Amino acid sequence: MASVRIREAKEGDCGDILRLIRELAEFEKLSDQVKISEEALRADGFGDNPFYHCLVAEILPAPGKLLGPCVVGYGIYYFIYSTWKGRTIYLEDIYVMPEYRGQGIGSKIIKKVALDKGCSQFRLAVLDWNQRAMDLYKALGAQDLTEAEGWHFFCFQGEATRKLAGK
């Protein structure tokens, strides 16, 4: 197995992150919903007050190889607040390229995100057909809140958001 490094993303990683976001959307059968650009990722994640944080997983080249590290996965997260539990991390995306799955890379990303800022909760969402991901999260100790407590998550998008805001 190749050597893997999980590190904080840098502004120069935005092209690789966007490539992986598109791969994730294709995997989720939602490619048509990706509207983000490399420029928006750069502006939103690497300014004075970033909207998100990102870790990347990269495969390190073998000693003596001329190629540099290759980004094969990422995790985008941000902080939210629970009125019941306090500081919470929300993992918006986690993705590892198919040919690198099963090597513990996803678990390493999740564990590194969980170490951040002393939060009391770590939340994420998963599509109901992605059993492999659900099994991983449960194996790591996550609880399925839809199953356990009946929570459903909602989202206002586009026109619904504008209408809600009175615009």
Side-chain angles (χ1 to χ4, degrees), residues 4-165:
V4 177
R5 175 174 58 192
I6 309 298
R7 63 168 174 80
E8 298 266 341
K10 299 177 217 161
E11 196 170 341
D13 293 317
C14 287
D16 284 324
I17 294 165
L18 182 57
R19 171 181 54 84
L20 294 171
I21 287 171
R22 288 181 175 142
E23 284 185 27
L24 172 60
E26 188 173 316
F27 172 75
E28 292 179 335
K29 301 169 184 65
L30 298 168
S31 296
D32 61 315
Q33 293 191 29
V34 177
K35 307 295 184 209
I36 196 80
S37 68
E38 189 174 331
E39 293 75 26
L41 286 170
R42 206 174 277 113
D44 292 343
F46 298 93
D48 290 337
N49 189 20
F51 281 87
Y52 72 89
H53 304 274
C54 184
L55 298 176
V56 294
E58 58 186 8
I59 301 296
L60 302 175
K65 296 285 185 180
L66 296 176
L67 297 174
C70 176
V71 176
V72 301
Y74 76 102
I76 287 185
Y77 65 99
Y78 46 87
F79 300 97
I80 59 176
Y81 199 80
S82 166
T83 56
W84 294 354
K85 307 285 184 175
R87 293 179 184 176
T88 301
I89 296 174
Y90 188 85
L91 183 63
E92 178 68 27
D93 281 356
I94 181 166
Y95 179 74
V96 175
M97 293 171 61
E99 59 268 35
Y100 295 98
R101 293 181 189 158
Q103 300 179 37
I105 296 171
S107 294
K108 287 179 183 177
I109 292 170
I110 288 171
K111 288 174 182 179
K112 189 152 186 165
V113 169
L115 291 173
D116 208 340
K117 305 282 186 203
C119 293
S120 63
Q121 292 185 69
F122 182 112
R123 293 182 179 217
L124 53 88
V126 62
L127 289 167
D128 61 1
W129 54 261
N130 194 346
Q131 192 61 51
R132 185 173 178 178
M134 287 189 274
D135 291 344
L136 170 63
Y137 305 148
K138 286 179 180 180
L140 291 172
Q143 181 182 31
D144 182 340
L145 293 181
T146 303
E147 202 174 81
E149 298 178 5
W151 289 100
H152 291 269
F153 291 90
F154 290 83
C155 179
F156 294 93
Q157 295 187 60
E159 182 60 31
T161 305
R162 288 186 286 283
K163 186 175 177 182
L164 186 65

